Amino acid sequence: QVQLVESGGGLVQAGGSLRLSCAASGRTFSSYALAWFRQAPGKEREFVAAISWSGGSTYYADSVKGRFTISRDNAKNTMYLQMNSLKPEDTAVYYCAATAPGSPSSWYIESYDYWGQGTQVTVSS
């Protein structure tokens, strides 16, 4: 069982950077694979990035490769998404998500049992 709370969203100009945080509370945080998803208005929720429980494996959607970096600090029970070179098409509500304990990383929404409430990221031209 884990509770997730995102923060760090806001308004930024194209080319700028934001760092999102996902603070987690719950037993055995380190056993959860974690991911970021995003949902733009009128669009389906889409995969952004995922990280294994150890942090040793990371995965990115093609649209954000080279610009976004996912990381986690298990000692702080926090996951991060460093977003650089932001584009207007990155505008969305960003959600952090966690699998069931011990489950592997995945790009499928169905693989994630726990979700935060989201944080808005708006990138202006």
Side-chain angles (χ1 to χ4, degrees), residues 38-113:
R38 67 187 182 187
Q39 188 167 21
K43 303 291 183 62
E44 295 184 352
R45 192 168 298 186
E46 66 175 355
F47 171 78
V48 176
I51 188 166
S52 63
W53 68 268
S54 68
S57 299
T58 58
Y59 309 90
Y60 298 92
D62 288 342
S63 59
V64 305
K65 284 181 179 178
R67 300 188 298 119
F68 291 10
T69 302
I70 188 171
S71 62
R72 66 190 294 169
D73 186 340
N74 289 344
K76 296 182 178 180
N77 286 357
T78 303
M79 175 179 63
Y80 305 97
L81 185 68
Q82 178 65 47
M83 305 185 295
N84 298 326
S85 301
L86 283 162
K87 305 174 181 179
E89 51 263 45
D90 295 318
T91 295
V93 176
Y94 284 71
Y95 300 89
C96 63
T99 65
S103 296
S105 299
S106 173
W107 58 86
Y108 296 110
I109 290 175
E110 293 80 5
S111 298
Y112 294 88
D113 292 334

Side-chain angles (χ1 to χ4, degrees), residues 1-2 25-33 53 72 74 77 100-102:
Q1 191 75 18
V2 62
S25 61
R27 190 173 63 87
T28 61
F29 170 79
S30 63
S31 69
Y32 297 90
W53 68 268
R72 66 190 294 169
N74 289 344
N77 286 357

